[in-house]
Amino acid sequence: MTGAITRLEVGATSDEGDRRRFRGAVRTKLAPDVIARQSRVALLAFQRFPDRETALAFLNSVDEALGGRPIDIASMSEAGAERIAAALRDQDRTPMSPATKIG
């Protein structure tokens, strides 16, 4: 029977090419320290802004004053993450109106 579905024995695997086809593209995993910095900055943004959309806009929009996308800057180094955290803390000192442009 050509094209029939068959069972594999326990422990047997299909061809590596078949597995890739169903799993999609190979993804690059982020280093644990990068994930930690991104998570820390994202949490601060979610705490700082009134809603999820505004926080995501801040993290993902290019901010000329910061020199790029905050989430990318935080990913690059501990110093970058601290710079974004400081920017978020500084914003805490000034009340934001709904019309305030993020990024």
Side-chain angles (χ1 to χ4, degrees):
M1 276 187 169
T2 306
I5 297 175
T6 60
R7 289 184 184 212
L8 296 174
E9 293 181 28
V10 174
T13 61
S14 63
D15 181 61
E16 181 66 28
D18 287 341
R19 286 188 288 187
R20 255 193 230 125
R21 179 178 50 178
F22 291 109
R23 289 186 186 164
V26 176
R27 296 181 185 177
T28 303
K29 292 185 180 182
L30 296 174
D33 58 327
V34 173
I35 294 170
R37 289 192 300 267
Q38 284 184 347
S39 298
R40 191 171 70 237
V41 169
L43 179 60
L44 286 171
F46 290 134
Q47 290 171 343
R48 167 62 184 102
F49 295 108
D51 56 51
R52 176 182 166 86
E53 291 76 26
T54 307
L56 290 173
F58 168 78
L59 292 168
N60 292 303
S61 298
V62 173
D63 186 319
E64 296 301 326
L66 293 171
R69 289 178 42 201
I71 197 70
D72 292 338
I73 295 167
S75 299
M76 287 187 236
S77 67
E78 186 59 39
E82 185 49 43
R83 197 172 75 186
I84 301 306
L88 286 165
R89 286 190 297 269
D90 287 346
Q91 285 184 353
D92 265 344
R93 294 184 189 112
T94 57
M96 287 189 60
S97 70
T100 302
K101 185 177 182 226
I102 307 298

